[in-house]
C-alpha cells in the first residue's frame, strides 16, 4: 500500500500546550478514545509523555544482548581457530588456553554489542526519515509541549473536541495528515 493511499481521507491536528500535565492528559484521552497515531513534541525528553503514549521498555536492549553474545562467540571462535590452525606450544601449555583469549573475547563482545545497539536504534527510530515532518512549531524547543494526532477526516471534530478539553494554547490543522507518514 503506497503512502498516498494510506493517508487518503486522513487529517491531522497539532495542539500546543503550555503545561506538561495538559499534554499528558490530552494523550491519555486520545488513547482512551482509540486514537493511536499520536506524536508528541517537547523541549526535553519527558517520561510522562512516554508513559501516556504507552511505550514499554526499549527493544534495543535485545539487539545489544544478541550483538554482545555474537561478538563473544565470534571472539572465542576466532582465537580457537587461530590457535588450532597455527599451534604454538610453549612451556608445555595447552594449545587452547582460554585465559589468554579473554581480552579478545571481551573486545569482540563490546564491538559487536555497540554495532548492534546502533543498528537497533536506527531500526526502531525508523531513521533515516526520507521525508521531513510536515508539522512542527519552533515553540516546542522553547518550552511548549505539542501533541499531533492524525485521524480519519470524519473523526477530526472529535479529536479537536478532546484536545480543546485540555485547554491548548493553540490548535492548528494539517489537512493532508502526512506528519506521521
Amino acid at each position: 500500500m503506497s503512502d498516498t493511499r494510506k493517508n487518503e481521507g486522513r487529517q491531522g491536528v497539532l495542539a500546543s500546550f503550555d503545561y506538561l500535565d495538559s499534554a499528558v492528559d490530552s494523550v491519555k484521552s486520545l488513547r482512551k478514545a482509540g486514537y493511536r497515531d499520536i506524536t508528541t513534541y517537547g523541549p526535553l525528553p519527558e517520561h510522562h509523555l512516554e508513559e501516556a503514549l504507552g511505550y514499554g521498555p526499549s527493544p534495543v536492549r535485545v539487539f545489544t544482548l544478541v550483538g554482545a553474545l555474537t561478538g563473544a562467540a565470534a571472539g572465542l571462535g576466532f582465537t580457537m581457530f587461530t590457535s588450532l590452525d597455527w599451534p604454538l606450544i610453549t612451556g608445555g601449555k595447552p594449545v587452547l588456553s582460554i585465559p589468554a583469549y579473554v581480552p579478545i573475547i571481551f573486545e569482540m563482545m563490546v564491538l559487536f554489542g555497540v554495532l548492534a545497539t546502533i543498528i537497533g536504534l536506527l531500526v526502531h527510530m525508523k531513521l533515516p526519515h526520507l521525508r521531513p515532518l510536515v508539522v512542527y512549531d519552533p515553540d516546542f524547543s522553547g518550552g511548549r509541549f505539542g501533541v499531533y494526532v492524525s485521524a480519519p477526516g470524519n473523526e477530526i471534530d472529535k479529536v479537536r473536541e478532546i484536545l480543546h478539553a485540555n485547554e491548548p494554547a493553540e490548535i492548528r490543522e494539517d489537512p493532508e495528515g502526512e506528519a506521521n507518514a
Side-chain angles (χ1 to χ4, degrees):
M1 181 182 295
S2 71
D3 287 334
T4 55
R5 184 183 294 172
K6 184 173 94 174
N7 286 330
E8 277 182 16
R10 293 188 72 81
Q11 290 184 329
V13 177
L14 177 70
S16 179
F17 296 94
D18 289 325
Y19 302 104
L20 173 64
D21 294 339
S22 299
V24 169
D25 292 342
S26 292
V27 171
K28 287 180 180 177
S29 299
L30 288 165
R31 286 186 47 86
K32 188 175 181 182
Y35 297 101
R36 298 290 180 251
D37 199 1
I38 303 170
T39 303
T40 59
Y41 302 96
L44 58 133
E46 187 57 56
H47 71 277
H48 297 294
L49 285 173
E50 293 174 6
E51 289 173 6
L53 287 168
Y55 292 162
S58 173
V60 175
R61 60 189 178 167
V62 175
F63 278 79
T64 305
L65 176 66
V66 170
L69 293 176
T70 302
L76 180 64
F78 176 71
T79 52
M80 288 178 64
F81 170 76
T82 304
S83 294
L84 291 173
D85 201 27
W86 295 290
L88 181 61
I89 301 171
T90 54
K93 294 180 184 172
V95 173
L96 297 177
S97 177
I98 300 296
Y101 304 158
V102 170
I104 303 295
I105 294 169
F106 175 77
E107 293 298 332
M108 292 286 284
M109 179 180 68
V110 171
L111 175 66
F112 278 53
V114 167
L115 293 176
T117 301
I118 292 170
I119 290 169
L121 283 171
L122 293 175
V123 166
H124 288 286
M125 290 173 54
K126 298 177 183 155
L127 289 178
H129 289 291
L130 299 177
R131 290 185 293 156
L133 295 176
V134 176
V135 176
Y136 184 75
D137 187 349
D139 287 340
F140 298 152
S141 296
R144 282 193 175 171
F145 296 91
V147 176
Y148 179 83
V149 186
S150 180
N154 58 351
E155 296 180 18
I156 207 71
D157 290 330
K158 184 179 177 184
V159 169
R160 205 177 300 116
E161 183 181 310
I162 292 171
L163 291 171
H164 271 297
N166 292 297
E167 302 173 3
E170 178 186 1
I171 288 188
R172 286 192 293 167
E173 291 191 30
D174 171 31
E176 298 167 9
E178 293 182 356
N180 289 333

